[in-house]
Amino acid sequence: MSGVNANALLSPKPRIRIGCRPIGCKRLSRFCGGVWGSSAVVANPSRSAEERVYEVVLKQAALVREPRKDRERGLDWEKTIENEGSISDDGNLLNEAYARCGEVCAEYAKTFYLVWCRRTDELVDGPNASHITPKALARWETRLTDLFEGRPYDMYDAALSDTVSKYFVDIQPFKDMIEGMRVDMRKSRYENFDELYLYCYYVAGTVGLMSVPVMGLAPESKASVESVYNAALALGLANQLTNILRDVGEDARRGRVYLPQDELAQAGLCDDDIFEGKVTEKWRSFMKGQIKRARRFFDEAEKGIAELSAASRWPVWASLMLYKQILDSIEANDYDNFTQRAYVSKAKKLLSLPIAFGRAMMGPSNSKIW
C-alpha cells in the first residue's frame, strides 16, 4: 500500500494544498454521506445512511488542513519481531514488509488490492470464517489501533503503519470496514436501500476513502478535495453493488439476500423467488432498475478520476471499466444471475487496458470545477 507519493502541504489560509496545488473547498454531490470520531457510522441511526457517510467524507477531506504532527514517526518493532521470529536487521525491515505485501498483491489481488482490506475480508469470507467471533473482530480492531500508533504486529501491519504515518490517512474508514464484517456476521437481509447503502460503504466505500490520500491529486487539478473523495466513495459503492448483482445466486445458496426487501416487494418479488432462481419478466424488470442505479454510481466516480495524480489514473480507470463491464455481462446473460456468473473475458480485459490508459492520459479539466 505504499502507493504514489503525492506531497500534501498545509497552507496558512483555510485552503488545501495537494501536490503543491491549492484547492478551494466545495460542497459534495448527493452521493455522499457521513463521520464520527471514534465510533462507527452507526452512531446516529436516526439519520439517513447518506447523511452519516457524508460526514465521514468531510472528515477525510478536512484532514489535510490539520498540522502534520507525529507524521513519519519511527515504528515500534517489538511485537513484529516477537511474532515473526527471525527477520532481517532493522535497516531492511520496512523493505521486507513492503515486499511481503507485494507478494500478497501478486498472488491474490485483481482490483481489490489493499492488503489490510483483503486480510479483514478474509476474516468473514475466508476458510476460517466459521471460527470468527465478535471478540476476534474486537481484537483485530485493537490491533488496527496499535498499528496506527506505530506498533505493528507483523510485517504486513508494518507496511500499513509506515504508510499511514506518511499520508493523511484516518483510522475511521478502517474501523468502519471492520464494522462491515460485524454486519455480515449478524445480518443477511436489508430492508431498504438506505440499509444497503450503509453496508456497501462499510465494506467497499471505505476502500476509496483509504486510497485517495496515497494516490494523491494532480497538481493542476482545480477540483475540491471533497469532490474527489466523493468520487472515490462512489466507485467503492458501485463496485459493491455490482458484486451483489453478480453474486445473487451464490449468496442465495448461503441464505443471504443483499437486495432491498422493499424494492423486491414493489416489483412483486420476494426471497422465495430468489431461492427458486427463475428468471421471469418481473425479475428482468427488477434487475434493470438495480443495474441502472449501479451505473449512476460509476458515472459519479468517473468525474473524479481525472483529478488524481497521473500515476494513479490508469489503474483506477482500469478497475472502473472492468467492473462496469460485469453489469454488461449480467444483461448479456439475460439477467440470469442465479445460475450464471457474470464475468469479463480475458480478451475484453486486455482490450480495456489501452482504452483505460488513453483516458488516464487526459488530466484534469481546468474549466470544470465541481
Side-chain angles (χ1 to χ4, degrees), residues 1-166:
M1 194 177 166
S2 56
V4 179
N5 189 350
N7 296 322
L9 305 175
L10 182 70
S11 169
K13 294 182 179 181
R15 293 167 67 81
I16 304 163
R17 290 185 180 272
I18 292 187
C20 302
R21 182 270 296 159
I23 306 171
C25 300
K26 293 184 180 293
R27 187 167 177 79
L28 303 181
S29 79
R30 64 176 293 275
F31 283 97
C32 288
V35 154
W36 302 194
S38 59
S39 60
V41 177
V42 292
N44 191 346
S46 64
R47 302 170 65 195
S48 74
E50 287 192 40
E51 289 173 329
R52 287 179 275 163
V53 178
Y54 175 73
E55 292 183 14
V56 179
V57 174
L58 290 180
K59 180 182 177 184
Q60 307 315 300
L63 280 176
V64 295
R65 306 184 188 102
E66 299 178 1
R68 295 192 66 176
K69 58 184 179 181
D70 297 328
R71 293 284 170 180
E72 298 193 53
R73 60 176 177 268
L75 302 184
D76 180 352
W77 292 94
E78 181 179 353
K79 289 182 179 179
T80 301
I81 294 173
E82 178 183 334
N83 292 329
E84 294 280 352
S86 177
I87 53 179
S88 308
D89 60 271
D90 287 0
N92 293 322
L93 287 177
L94 271 179
N95 289 336
E96 184 176 341
Y98 281 112
R100 290 199 192 179
C101 289
E103 291 170 2
V104 173
C105 290
E107 182 174 357
Y108 296 106
K110 292 182 181 177
T111 54
F112 192 65
Y113 63 93
L114 300 179
V115 174
W116 183 88
C117 297
R118 181 167 193 91
R119 296 174 81 191
T120 303
D121 185 62
E122 286 291 306
L123 293 176
V124 295
D125 279 340
N128 297 317
S130 60
H131 304 294
I132 296 299
T133 65
K135 287 185 178 180
L137 288 177
R139 289 194 298 269
W140 187 248
E141 187 164 348
T142 298
R143 177 170 170 167
L144 171 70
T145 300
D146 282 345
L147 76 83
F148 260 81
E149 294 175 356
R151 299 187 299 274
Y153 281 48
D154 61 20
M155 299 300 277
Y156 301 110
D157 285 357
L160 178 58
S161 190
D162 179 63
T163 298
V164 301
S165 75
K166 294 177 178 177

Side-chain angles (χ1 to χ4, degrees), residues 28-335:
L28 303 181
S29 79
R30 64 176 293 275
F31 283 97
C32 288
V35 154
W36 302 194
S38 59
S39 60
V41 177
V42 292
N44 191 346
S46 64
R47 302 170 65 195
S48 74
E50 287 192 40
E51 289 173 329
R52 287 179 275 163
V53 178
Y54 175 73
E55 292 183 14
V56 179
V57 174
L58 290 180
K59 180 182 177 184
Q60 307 315 300
L63 280 176
V64 295
R65 306 184 188 102
E66 299 178 1
R68 295 192 66 176
K69 58 184 179 181
D70 297 328
R71 293 284 170 180
E72 298 193 53
R73 60 176 177 268
L75 302 184
D76 180 352
W77 292 94
E78 181 179 353
K79 289 182 179 179
T80 301
I81 294 173
E82 178 183 334
N83 292 329
E84 294 280 352
S86 177
I87 53 179
S88 308
D89 60 271
D90 287 0
N92 293 322
L93 287 177
L94 271 179
N95 289 336
E96 184 176 341
Y98 281 112
R100 290 199 192 179
C101 289
E103 291 170 2
V104 173
C105 290
E107 182 174 357
Y108 296 106
K110 292 182 181 177
T111 54
F112 192 65
Y113 63 93
L114 300 179
V115 174
W116 183 88
C117 297
R118 181 167 193 91
R119 296 174 81 191
T120 303
D121 185 62
E122 286 291 306
L123 293 176
V124 295
D125 279 340
N128 297 317
S130 60
H131 304 294
I132 296 299
T133 65
K135 287 185 178 180
L137 288 177
R139 289 194 298 269
W140 187 248
E141 187 164 348
T142 298
R143 177 170 170 167
L144 171 70
T145 300
D146 282 345
L147 76 83
F148 260 81
E149 294 175 356
R151 299 187 299 274
Y153 281 48
D154 61 20
M155 299 300 277
Y156 301 110
D157 285 357
L160 178 58
S161 190
D162 179 63
T163 298
V164 301
S165 75
K166 294 177 178 177
Y167 299 90
F168 290 103
V169 180
D170 183 47
I171 197 172
Q172 191 62 51
F174 294 82
K175 287 187 172 183
D176 288 340
M177 176 171 274
I178 295 174
E179 182 62 24
M181 304 305 109
R182 293 191 179 101
V183 171
D184 252 335
M185 292 178 66
R186 66 173 183 260
K187 193 176 179 72
S188 61
R189 300 290 188 281
Y190 294 83
E191 291 303 316
N192 49 51
F193 185 68
D194 191 69
E195 288 188 7
L196 187 62
Y197 180 102
L198 186 57
Y199 171 74
C200 290
Y201 159 71
Y202 281 150
V203 300
T206 50
V207 179
L209 303 189
M210 297 171 192
S211 303
V212 170
V214 181
M215 291 182 172
L217 271 65
E220 66 272 24
S221 172
K222 293 184 179 180
S224 69
V225 177
E226 289 93 334
S227 68
V228 178
Y229 272 98
N230 177 44
L233 168 67
L235 180 56
L237 297 173
N239 286 347
Q240 185 60 26
L241 289 171
T242 300
N243 283 340
I244 288 170
L245 299 180
R246 178 194 64 194
D247 298 339
V248 169
E250 180 181 329
D251 289 332
R253 288 187 285 276
R254 299 164 55 206
R256 293 180 173 274
V257 177
Y258 289 98
L259 299 167
Q261 293 289 310
D262 61 344
E263 295 179 17
L264 283 169
Q266 290 167 13
L269 298 164
C270 65
D271 287 356
D272 288 342
D273 295 299
I274 294 173
F275 296 141
E276 289 176 9
K278 294 180 180 179
V279 179
T280 63
E281 285 306 313
K282 287 182 179 180
W283 179 253
R284 291 186 183 93
S285 178
F286 173 77
M287 283 303 302
K288 288 176 183 178
Q290 301 299 307
I291 289 173
K292 182 178 180 180
R293 175 161 54 203
R295 284 183 173 140
R296 286 202 303 268
F297 281 98
F298 278 121
D299 291 344
E300 183 72 10
E302 288 187 11
K303 297 177 183 178
I305 301 178
E307 312 301 330
L308 295 174
S309 65
S312 300
R313 291 196 290 265
W314 188 20
V316 178
W317 266 119
S319 170
L320 183 149
M321 292 176 64
L322 294 177
Y323 247 84
K324 197 173 183 179
Q325 288 180 69
I326 294 174
L327 299 175
D328 299 336
S329 297
I330 295 173
E331 292 172 330
N333 290 340
D334 193 28
Y335 306 99

